[in-house]
Amino acid sequence: MTEEQTTIETKRDRVRRLLITPAQDRGMRFRKGTSDEDQRKHLDRLCDELGIDYPIFLAGMGGRNNPTPPELVAAVSEAGGMGVLGVAALDAEEIRYRIREVRKLTN
């Protein structure tokens, strides 16, 4: 395994640990008055509709100097969340390149 592949695997493992930790253990709280069962139903439906395992979204940042790296997008996606590329300030060729990179890193 190359150093780059090892780094990507390490990122994936970190993201997976975050995603499988219950929301309550991370200090997240849902709206008062909503039962745990109702919350789970809504989250399950959202995940089913989007084809993801966990209701975690990477906010793609598109600044020209430091946009979201394809490796992070791939790690979140591979761990079961929704990886999002930030491309607002990039030209079309750079966007195509980053999409190809994410596709190479994901299955």
Side-chain angles (χ1 to χ4, degrees):
M1 190 178 289
T2 68
E3 185 177 329
E4 182 179 336
Q5 289 171 322
T6 302
T7 301
I8 291 169
E9 286 301 315
T10 302
K11 287 179 183 177
R12 284 185 187 143
D13 290 341
R14 286 182 195 150
V15 171
R16 280 191 183 106
R17 279 194 298 276
L18 172 66
L19 294 177
I20 62 173
T21 303
Q24 292 81 1
D25 293 348
R26 294 195 314 269
M28 296 173 62
R29 298 290 179 255
F30 293 98
R31 188 172 19 158
K32 289 183 180 180
T34 306
S35 71
D36 288 343
E37 185 177 329
D38 285 344
Q39 292 166 14
R40 176 56 41 208
K41 285 180 188 176
H42 289 295
L43 293 177
D44 286 346
R45 182 171 176 219
L46 173 69
C47 290
D48 289 345
E49 291 287 327
L50 296 174
I52 58 177
D53 296 326
Y54 304 101
I56 303 293
F57 294 81
L58 169 67
M61 301 297 169
R64 185 166 286 289
N65 294 332
N66 195 15
T68 308
E71 296 81 11
L72 179 58
V73 174
V76 171
S77 297
E78 286 291 297
M82 175 66 74
V84 179
L85 272 173
V87 297
L90 303 177
D91 61 43
E93 189 54 40
E94 181 67 17
I95 294 169
R96 283 192 278 280
Y97 167 77
R98 288 175 176 273
I99 291 170
R100 284 192 297 270
E101 288 299 305
V102 171
R103 285 183 176 166
K104 277 193 240 177
L105 297 170
T106 57
N107 59 18

